[in-house]
Amino acid sequence: MFPFCVYCRNFETLEKISQSKLAQVIIKETWSLSNMNICPHLIPFFSCDNKPCYPILFLQIYHDEVGQKSVYNCYYCRGLRVDGPIPKNSQHLDINSISNSMGSGTMIQKMTAEGAAIILLGSVITAPCLQKVSPLWMGTGSWKMERKKRALPCNKMYKFRFHKIPNTSSIYWGDHGRDKSSLHEYLLSRDPRDHSYLTDFFRDIFDTEAPIFGCIMTKIKKKFRYLGLPWSNYFILPPKSFQTIARLHIIMVSWFDSKFPIGNSSDDNIYCKDWPEHQRCWSYFLEMVTLIYLCHHRPLLLIRNSEGCIDPIFVPLKNNNVEMNNKFNSENINEIYLQLVKLVIGNP
C-alpha cells in the first residue's frame, strides 16, 4: 500500500483508473478550469448585475429547444445548453464555450447527459474570477423539469431563509412517487448489473459497501407518504458541495471507463450496448451516486411543490448506523479526486 493513497482500497486501483484515456482528458480539463482565470465572459452568466445572485443561483440544464424555452424568467435563473439550439443571450450558457472534451455531441456528453454539465459547473464555480460573484447556494435541474412537468415549486426561492439553513444541508424538490422512496427497492426492479456495478464502485474506490439502505424514506408521517428521494439531479447545494458532486462524477466516469473503455461510439461499450438508451447509460449511475451522496449529506431538506414558497422542510430517512461510516464523505471524495489529479498531471 502506497502511503499517500489513504482512502482507496489500494494504489493499483487509482493507478489503473488514471490510465484511462477518458479520465486523463476530463481531469486535465476540469483541473485547468478550476485553477485558471478563464472566465471574465462568464461573470454575467454566474452573477446578477456583476454581484452574487443572493442567496441562490439556479441553473437549468437542457438538451433541446423545448428545454431552452422553459428556462425560468427570473433574475437568479439561468439556462445551460448541452445540446440543441445555440443560445443567444447572457441568460444562457453554451457548454461548448467552456469545454472541448465534454461539449455538445461529444461521446462523454452523450454517455453522461447532464452529468457533463454538472462536472463542468462544479469545476468552473471555483475559478478565481468567479469567487466574488459565487452565490451562497447553487441549484440545478434537468430537461425533465419541462418534459415531466416537474417545474420549480416557487419562483421566489430567494425569499427562503437560507441564512438559517446549515451549509451542510442538501435541498431538493419534486414528487418522485412512492415507487422511488427506497433506492434498494428501486435497484431490485432493475437489471442486476446495476446493483453489481454500484457495489463494485464503492468497494474499489471507498473500500466500503454501497450505502443504499440509508436512502429509504421513513413513513412515520402522512405528509411524507407520497414523497420520493432526490432523483433526477434536482438539488440545491452550497458551491463547495456542488464541486464535490462534480468530483464524485469525475471519479465514477473514470472508474467506468477503466472497466468498460469507450470505443469510437457508445455501441462499442461493453456495458452500455445492452441498454435501450445506451448513449446515456452512464448518466443513470451518476444520478444514483448523487442520490446516495445527498442522502448521506445530512440534513436532507425538501421544497414541497404543493405548498409553494415555504422554507424547505426536514426529510426523515432511515438511519442505518452500519452504513453511516466515515469512508463515504466529502473529505474523502475530494482527497481521491486530488490523488487522481496527481497521477494524471503530477503535483498540482
Side-chain angles (χ1 to χ4, degrees):
M1 176 73 73
F2 283 65
F4 71 79
C5 188
V6 178
Y7 300 113
C8 63
R9 174 174 289 186
N10 54 49
F11 175 76
E12 288 77 14
T13 299
L14 284 188
E15 187 175 45
K16 180 181 178 182
I17 292 172
S18 70
Q19 293 170 357
S20 151
K21 292 182 179 179
L22 184 147
Q24 293 178 13
V25 169
I26 292 180
I27 289 170
K28 287 177 181 177
E29 183 168 70
T30 55
W31 184 254
S32 67
L33 285 173
S34 64
N35 289 278
M36 295 174 62
N37 193 11
I38 50 91
C39 52
H41 67 289
L42 295 183
I43 291 178
F45 176 78
F46 280 95
S47 66
C48 295
D49 298 323
N50 292 323
K51 297 178 182 178
C53 293
Y54 184 85
I56 183 174
L57 176 66
F58 183 81
L59 304 160
Q60 183 174 340
I61 303 166
Y62 60 84
H63 302 74
D64 55 25
E65 187 173 7
V66 174
Q68 185 177 119
K69 290 180 179 179
S70 69
V71 174
Y72 288 85
N73 183 24
C74 65
Y75 87 99
Y76 63 88
C77 299
R78 303 289 185 269
L80 182 64
R81 170 197 178 262
V82 296
D83 206 349
I86 297 176
K88 297 180 179 180
N89 63 62
S90 61
Q91 295 292 106
H92 296 254
L93 179 67
D94 182 0
I95 196 174
N96 291 347
S97 69
I98 55 176
S99 175
N100 294 318
S101 67
M102 287 175 273
S104 175
T106 63
M107 189 53 57
I108 300 174
Q109 189 277 311
K110 288 179 180 179
M111 297 287 282
T112 62
E114 65 256 23
I118 291 171
I119 287 173
L120 291 168
L121 287 170
S123 301
V124 168
I125 197 62
T126 61
C129 63
L130 294 180
Q131 294 308 295
K132 292 184 179 180
V133 297
S134 179
L136 292 178
W137 294 80
M138 197 159 80
T140 186
S142 71
W143 59 272
K144 302 183 186 76
M145 291 178 63
E146 176 66 19
R147 292 295 176 85
K148 296 192 176 183
K149 307 302 180 184
R150 295 175 182 169
L152 279 174
C154 174
N155 62 0
K156 297 180 180 179
M157 284 195 294
Y158 63 90
K159 291 188 175 182
F160 290 164
R161 291 172 292 181
F162 280 103
H163 62 284
K164 292 190 175 183
I165 301 175
N167 62 7
T168 56
S169 304
S170 303
I171 304 173
Y172 76 107
W173 75 94
D175 183 351
H176 298 288
R178 287 171 289 180
D179 59 322
K180 288 190 176 182
S181 62
S182 165
L183 178 57
H184 178 247
E185 292 180 7
Y186 175 74
L187 286 170
L188 290 176
S189 69
R190 303 280 295 181
D191 187 312
R193 293 173 299 176
D194 290 10
H195 195 178
S196 174
Y197 292 148
L198 204 59
T199 298
D200 289 347
F201 172 72
F202 275 90
R203 286 176 179 172
D204 286 351
I205 302 301
F206 298 100
D207 193 21
T208 188
E209 296 301 310
I212 59 174
F213 292 102
C215 296
I216 300 175
M217 293 281 295
T218 60
K219 298 179 181 179
I220 55 175
K221 296 181 180 179
K222 289 184 178 180
K223 65 180 178 180
F224 293 114
R225 60 182 175 175
Y226 295 115
L227 301 179
L229 293 165
W231 294 93
S232 302
N233 292 314
Y234 295 1
F235 55 80
I236 302 169
L237 297 169
K240 289 297 291 183
S241 297
F242 204 110
Q243 180 193 55
T244 299
I245 285 183
R247 290 177 169 183
L248 179 60
H249 284 198
I250 292 170
I251 294 166
M252 188 168 215
V253 168
S254 300
W255 174 85
F256 243 124
D257 191 58
S258 70
K259 293 181 74 70
F260 310 108
I262 294 178
N264 294 325
S265 74
S266 58
D267 289 327
D268 297 332
N269 189 269
I270 298 171
Y271 175 67
C272 291
K273 68 180 182 180
D274 295 332
W275 277 62
E277 297 181 90
H278 57 270
Q279 280 198 326
R280 60 189 185 96
C281 79
W282 287 5
S283 67
Y284 293 95
F285 284 93
L286 296 180
E287 185 178 334
M288 282 190 281
V289 80
T290 298
L291 169 66
I292 293 172
Y293 175 84
L294 296 177
C295 287
H296 289 268
H297 195 245
R298 307 295 179 85
L300 185 63
L301 304 173
L302 172 70
I303 301 171
R304 293 166 289 178
N305 286 17
S306 60
E307 299 295 338
C309 298
I310 298 177
D311 284 343
I313 60 172
F314 174 74
V315 174
L317 295 170
K318 287 188 177 179
N319 185 13
N320 188 320
N321 291 325
V322 175
E323 291 197 350
M324 296 301 290
N325 57 59
N326 62 358
K327 292 184 178 181
F328 182 61
N329 56 47
S330 298
E331 180 183 359
N332 294 3
I333 292 168
N334 286 299
E335 178 65 21
I336 291 168
Y337 169 78
L338 292 175
Q339 297 300 345
L340 281 174
V341 170
K342 289 180 181 179
L343 287 167
V344 171
I345 65 176
N347 288 321

